[in-house]
Amino acid sequence: MATRPPTATIRTQVELPLRFADGYATGARVFSFDGLVDGREHLAFALGDRTSPHAAGAHCAAPLIRPHSECLTGDVFGSERCDCGPQLREAVERIAGAGGYLLYLRQEGRGIGLYSKLEAYALQDTGVDTYEANVALGHGEDERSYLAAAQMLHALGLSRVALLSNNPDKARQLRSCGIAVVAQVRTGVYVSAANVRYLETKARRGAHTLDLPLPA
Ligand SMILES: [Zn+2]
């Protein structure tokens, strides 16, 4: 049963021209909020033409939305231990093309924080997987909540969205907060030698819909 989360309001909105390291550039309008339940400084980036009747392709004009969890090592430094950097880059371009919003959620390391994520990496180097490492450190396998994301969508006036994600938990949580997810659009998969084990674990343990090359 869906429960509408506490009301958040738009605090500031401002134009932010974006240019990525590979030269791709697009305009964005960035929003901050008051009243988010976890008190964190999450951002929404409006991209492309959100009023286009063709927004998000055939998905009934629902804007294309991606909740992206902050990953300092992947997003900023290009770490190859995960696929966050390429996923963020892809999401910005696809949303700019379709019209929609990227929600940049400050929940590093599946919600456990940056230092704990690095500790989990160190544990993974001893042979445990990404979920087991979080549990060994006293955390849940995945502590991310999308309640604040739902508050942001409601504040932006969005109750119907097409969700750009391979993670079924995001759709489930948003629906439980009164957001109609009318379509789920899959993202690309970015495999490298350093992250293939991480991606296999996400597919197996997190029920992510990923098409990974089978091990030889
Ligand atoms: Zn990452």
Side-chain angles (χ1 to χ4, degrees):
M1 178 125 120
T3 314
R4 195 179 166 107
T7 300
T9 55
I10 293 169
R11 171 168 165 167
T12 306
Q13 49 179 306
V14 64
E15 297 299 323
L16 198 65
L18 306 180
R19 180 175 297 279
F20 288 79
D22 62 2
Y24 172 75
T26 191
R29 188 167 187 84
V30 62
F31 295 79
S32 63
F33 299 88
D34 280 318
L36 299 177
V37 286
D38 57 10
R40 295 184 184 168
E41 294 185 322
H42 306 302
L43 298 173
F45 292 78
L47 297 159
D49 178 2
R50 278 98 57 205
T51 60
S52 161
H54 304 297
H59 306 305
C60 312
L64 188 61
I65 301 298
R66 176 164 177 81
H68 180 92
S69 298
E70 176 177 35
C71 174
L72 182 84
T73 48
D75 295 345
V76 178
F77 292 97
S79 162
E80 295 197 302
R81 289 193 77 125
C82 61
D83 59 343
C84 303
Q87 285 225 327
L88 177 62
R89 169 68 183 78
E90 175 200 358
V92 168
E93 187 166 353
R94 287 180 71 172
I95 296 169
Y101 295 81
L102 182 114
L103 307 181
Y104 194 77
L105 305 174
R106 316 294 299 280
Q107 41 190 13
E108 178 75 51
R110 272 195 229 103
I112 68 175
L114 179 58
Y115 278 16
S116 291
K117 181 177 83 172
L118 297 179
E119 286 158 11
Y121 280 170
L123 267 181
Q124 287 168 51
D125 289 345
T126 69
V128 303
D129 75 28
T130 177
Y131 294 95
E132 291 163 352
N134 282 13
V135 172
L137 291 167
H139 297 288
E141 290 189 348
D142 187 339
E143 298 193 349
R144 287 176 296 182
S145 160
Y146 298 97
L147 184 58
Q151 288 185 287
M152 294 160 75
L153 293 173
H154 284 300
L156 292 163
L158 305 172
S159 55
R160 298 174 73 253
V161 304
L163 188 64
L164 179 62
S165 174
N166 299 327
N167 183 347
D169 190 42
K170 289 183 184 175
R172 200 161 37 233
Q173 286 202 33
L174 290 178
R175 286 189 175 115
S176 76
C177 293
I179 302 293
V181 178
V182 299
Q184 192 155 353
V185 182
R186 292 168 66 167
T187 68
V189 176
Y190 302 93
V191 182
S192 72
N195 74 13
V196 65
R197 201 162 154 266
Y198 164 79
L199 292 175
E200 284 170 354
T201 304
K202 273 211 302 196
R204 183 165 40 85
R205 300 283 299 271
H208 286 234
T209 48
L210 305 180
D211 292 320
L212 289 171
L214 292 171

